[in-house]
């Protein structure tokens, strides 16, 4: 999933003890890896995708493969980063170091050696929302497509105690533009829990993706010496 940080809506059970908030969304599985809890989806610093792409899944692909075309929970967003493409790509694909610049990613581990490539697998964790019993969501992601410096797609489930996203599919594309690099991301979630409350699931997914983009932008620009206000 995404990022990656996937968070799921309440499932009717009461949390057993307080815990810190997590980034909503990230599958990052491919979920949205996750991010910080936010009151609403923030678009500051981000260039939102057109309405059709933003809610209906868009037409972006990586080597012909995109997000789930029939998933009910989906979100897309864009941001321009004032940094070299090599810097942005390195940050995004060096999975084991995600926790160093994404607070919502608690742990991240590659399950195979070598550079990230099609078929690579990685496992990462992110805090579950305080409204579900799980303390942590564990995401096992598999790279479905990858084109160096251009695009990346991964997919997989996010599982916690009493919470589950059956599959998150997370797509990223990277395009050089006059101001640096335009990063486009799309993610879909499927599963009984997320489908039970599509509006709230979509909100959580959107918050996570927007937070991931902000973290990526801030870190890449700081490392390249071109932070933007």
């Amino acid at each position: 999933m995404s990022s990656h940080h996937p968070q799921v809506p309440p499932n009717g059970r009461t949390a057993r003890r307080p815990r810190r908030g997590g980034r909503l969304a990230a599958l990052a599985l491919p979920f949205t890896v996750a991010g910080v809890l936010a009151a609403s989806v923030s678009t500051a610093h981000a260039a939102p995708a057109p309405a059709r792409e933003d809610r209906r899944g868009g037409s972006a692909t990586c080597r012909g493969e995109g997000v789930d075309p029939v998933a009910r929970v989906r979100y897309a967003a864009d941001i321009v980063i004032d940094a070299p493409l090599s810097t942005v790509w390195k940050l995004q694909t060096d999975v084991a170091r995600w926790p160093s610049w994404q607070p919502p990613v608690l742990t991240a581990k590659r399950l195979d050696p070598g550079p990230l490539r099609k078929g690579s697998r990685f496992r990462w964790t992110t805090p579950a929302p305080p409204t579900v019993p799980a303390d942590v969501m564990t995401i096992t992601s598999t790279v479905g497509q990858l084109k160096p410096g251009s695009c990346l797609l991964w997919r997989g489930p996010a599982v916690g105690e009493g919470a589950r996203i059956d599959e998150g599919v997370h797509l990223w594309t990277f395009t050089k533009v006059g101001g640096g690099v335009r990063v486009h991301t799309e993610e879909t979630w499927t599963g009984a829990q997320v489908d039970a409350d599509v509006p709230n699931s979509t909100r959580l997914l959107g918050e996570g993706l927007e937070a991931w983009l902000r973290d990526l932008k801030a870190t890449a620009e700081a490392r390249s010496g071109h932070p933007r206000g």
Side-chain angles (χ1 to χ4, degrees):
M1 300 174 139
S2 75
S3 243
H4 289 226
H5 355 140
Q7 318 291 318
V8 298
N11 64 357
R13 295 173 61 185
T14 302
R16 286 183 265 187
R17 55 189 177 281
R19 24 170 129 46
R20 52 187 291 197
R23 172 181 293 168
L24 307 171
L27 302 323
L29 306 183
F31 293 123
T32 312
V33 118
V36 293
L37 284 169
S40 61
V41 175
S42 170
T43 56
H45 308 302
R52 170 177 289 180
E53 286 194 0
D54 191 62
R55 296 301 181 185
R56 300 181 185 274
S59 57
T61 62
C62 183
R63 295 188 182 274
E65 187 172 351
V67 295
D68 189 330
V70 298
R72 298 172 62 201
V73 179
R74 58 183 59 245
Y75 193 88
D78 293 74
I79 201 166
V80 174
I81 300 177
D82 185 8
L85 175 59
S86 58
T87 299
V88 178
W89 180 258
K90 173 67 173 177
L91 281 169
Q92 188 72 327
T93 58
D94 192 357
V95 173
R97 288 190 169 88
W98 279 357
S100 70
W101 59 272
Q102 294 196 74
V105 181
L106 302 179
T107 63
K109 179 182 180 180
R110 287 286 307 277
L111 301 181
D112 41 47
L116 203 66
R117 60 193 182 279
K118 183 175 181 178
S120 292
R121 299 175 68 245
F122 53 97
R123 182 169 294 124
W124 46 293
T125 61
T126 186
T131 52
V132 301
D135 284 330
V136 173
M137 299 291 286
T138 298
I139 306 151
T140 303
S141 302
T142 301
V143 176
Q145 293 292 344
L146 183 149
K147 184 176 181 180
S150 177
C151 63
L152 172 64
L153 179 144
W154 67 74
R155 54 167 37 89
V159 181
E161 183 182 348
R164 180 182 180 89
I165 298 171
D166 290 350
E167 183 176 67
V169 183
H170 201 169
L171 171 72
W172 296 83
T173 64
F174 306 83
T175 307
K176 288 184 178 181
V177 296
V181 180
R182 177 173 293 278
V183 180
H184 174 77
T185 186
E186 299 180 15
E187 186 169 359
T188 53
W189 287 352
T190 53
Q193 285 188 334
V194 294
D195 284 347
D197 188 350
V198 171
N200 193 44
S201 297
T202 302
R203 177 182 62 83
L204 297 178
L205 173 57
E207 288 172 356
L209 290 183
E210 299 285 357
W212 194 329
L213 287 173
R214 291 194 300 271
D215 285 344
L216 182 61
K217 176 182 175 71
T219 306
E221 292 183 352
R223 292 191 181 184
S224 65
H226 300 291
R228 287 183 173 181

